[in-house]
Amino acid sequence: MAGWFPPPGELRSAAYATFANTVGGGLWTAGGALYLTRVAGLPATVVGTGLSAAALVGLAASVPAGRFADRRDPRSLRAVLQVLQAGAALMFLLVDSAASFLAVAAVEALLVTGNLTVRAALVGALGRTAGRVHVFATLRTAANTGTAIGAGLAALALAADSPAAYRLLVVADAATYLVSAALLMRLPRYPAADPAERPRTWEVWRDGRYLAVTATTSAMYLRRVILTLVLPLWIATRADVPAVVVSAVLVTYTVLTVVLSARSGRRAEQAEPAARMVRRGSLVLAVAMLGFAAATTLSTAATVTLLLASTAVYSVGELWHVNGATGLSYALAPEHAVGQYQGVTVLLNGLAMAAGPALLTAVIVGSGSPAGWLVPIGLVTVCGLAVPPLARWAGAAPARPAPAAEPVTG
């Protein structure tokens, strides 16, 4: 595993912190729903609806957390959020009703979104010399590795299938947040912008060019549930395709993401190459989804082969989209307000991902026709082709005036 992490230094410490954090995420993702239904005694419908509602509530923390990160050391702020998340995770042990579940889930979602935004600000600080997209891609590799290992460890609790095992899973999830916080504190402090450079207002909401680019790249995140939700349901419509193919698809995707993430990050540090990477990624994603659409029209062996090949193509397209969009989100943001701008990126990405399950299951699975795939194919293609001209327009904006200085207090 050491070969998947960067050389000793700040980035390696950040990668280990991310890895520890996401091992817990993998534990909860794989076993949380079963804990809530089998131990807390909640109906599955309450769990599903509650988690969706909480995720939308959590998005409210995105921009405020980013603006706060512009005024504080993002390393220390993220460590504090990790400790609070450990407490929120343990609160699930007290859930015994729909009301208590919704309350805890909402608090946890607010902390998760705040953590994502502050992580983006920390990437901005770490990447001033190493390259922000490279740092982001490296941490994404660590995150995917941690999530996969956490999900694998959760299998122990699922195999035991006892209340004690599920409670131990929750405690282990909380412990990983504390380990992550301790690892984050090994990083140096990253000073906030000088008070004279801090924007007094919500500057990002007046930057229409940045919002246009980010809304376009974020809309492509509707496809985020393709592999985890839509494709498994699509495969299920073919009785002669083994269910194990779903696992093979996810394993193929996970391995390729871990192997390729960091390698494609350095080419998207500037706005123009990042925009071209998004466009290239959109076209590759469209080809992959055409393969998914065609998979139900072939023999069983050909269907399985096409599904796995399309998954490999999809993985590459996703990496190009994610890294290119990340490069644009930093390249087009002013240095004094990186956190605030990243908060808007987290918000718009989250809204697109929240809309994805309902929209794509309706148009693809609900229709039962390969033609339903034309909706996400058309969406990612149009958005991808629009990004380069939008990025050039955003890059041609007149220089931003110096922000009004905030009074220094304390």
Side-chain angles (χ1 to χ4, degrees):
M1 187 176 67
W4 297 347
F5 287 84
E10 294 176 23
L11 184 52
R12 172 174 281 193
S13 295
Y16 281 146
T18 297
F19 173 77
N21 179 198
T22 52
V23 167
L27 285 168
W28 181 250
T29 298
L34 289 175
Y35 165 78
L36 292 169
T37 54
R38 298 189 180 186
V39 180
L42 300 175
T45 53
V46 170
V47 172
T49 303
L51 290 177
S52 295
L56 290 173
V57 170
L59 292 177
S62 55
V63 184
R67 194 163 187 246
F68 195 61
D70 289 328
R71 289 156 169 73
R72 296 290 186 274
D73 166 30
R75 173 214 63 167
S76 301
L77 182 55
R78 190 171 185 219
V80 169
L81 287 172
Q82 300 277 45
V83 173
L84 293 176
Q85 282 188 274
L90 291 174
M91 289 296 290
F92 278 110
L93 295 173
L94 304 179
V95 167
D96 58 1
S97 67
S100 59
F101 164 61
L102 289 173
V104 174
V107 170
E108 188 206 31
L110 288 166
L111 291 171
V112 167
T113 301
N115 195 353
L116 285 173
T117 302
V118 174
R119 182 188 70 176
L122 180 59
V123 167
L126 278 165
R128 285 171 186 157
T129 55
R132 285 162 172 169
V133 183
H134 170 65
V135 170
F136 172 84
T138 300
L139 297 186
R140 188 166 183 258
T141 299
N144 287 330
T145 305
T147 300
I149 291 176
L153 292 174
L156 299 175
L158 271 60
D161 196 26
S162 68
Y166 287 120
R167 291 190 179 99
L168 182 60
L169 181 148
V170 174
V171 172
D173 176 30
T176 63
Y177 287 117
L178 299 178
V179 173
S180 179
L183 290 169
L184 284 169
M185 295 307 292
R186 295 171 59 183
L187 295 170
R189 290 180 59 87
Y190 298 99
D194 187 272
E197 297 179 353
R198 298 175 190 167
R200 179 175 291 179
T201 60
W202 298 95
E203 177 180 334
V204 66
W205 295 121
R206 303 198 310 273
D207 192 341
R209 301 186 186 215
Y210 182 89
L211 293 174
V213 173
T214 304
T216 305
T217 59
S218 293
M220 295 173 64
Y221 277 95
L222 276 168
R223 52 92 193 141
R224 184 72 178 269
V225 296
I226 290 288
L227 292 185
T228 57
L229 177 64
V230 176
L231 193 59
L233 294 175
W234 181 249
I235 291 173
T237 64
R238 280 186 60 93
D240 55 341
V241 175
V244 72
V245 172
V246 174
S247 295
V249 163
L250 294 177
V251 168
T252 300
Y253 165 76
T254 301
V255 170
L256 287 175
T257 301
V258 169
V259 170
L260 299 177
S261 277
R263 299 182 183 182
S264 60
R266 294 189 183 275
R267 300 194 297 273
E269 299 292 348
Q270 303 300 319
E272 286 193 18
R276 291 194 298 269
M277 184 175 284
V278 173
R279 179 178 61 195
R280 187 164 63 248
S282 73
L283 299 177
V284 172
L285 285 168
V287 170
M289 286 188 280
L290 282 172
F292 294 147
T296 57
T297 64
L298 306 173
S299 67
T300 299
T303 291
V304 173
T305 301
L306 183 57
L307 285 172
L308 294 178
S310 297
T311 299
V313 173
Y314 183 96
S315 302
V316 173
E318 181 186 90
L319 286 174
W320 283 343
H321 165 227
V322 171
N323 286 338
T326 300
L328 286 169
S329 72
Y330 285 109
L332 298 176
E335 283 295 322
H336 63 267
V338 167
Q340 183 182 142
Y341 275 63
Q342 293 306 309
V344 166
T345 300
V346 170
L347 172 63
L348 295 179
N349 289 350
L351 288 173
M353 288 187 282
L359 176 62
L360 295 185
T361 52
V363 300
I364 297 175
V365 182
S367 70
S369 168
W373 285 93
L374 294 177
V375 173
I377 289 170
L379 174 72
V380 299
T381 302
V382 170
C383 289
L385 293 176
V387 165
L390 284 174
R392 286 193 294 270
W393 175 58
R400 296 178 177 88
E406 289 187 330
V408 180
T409 59

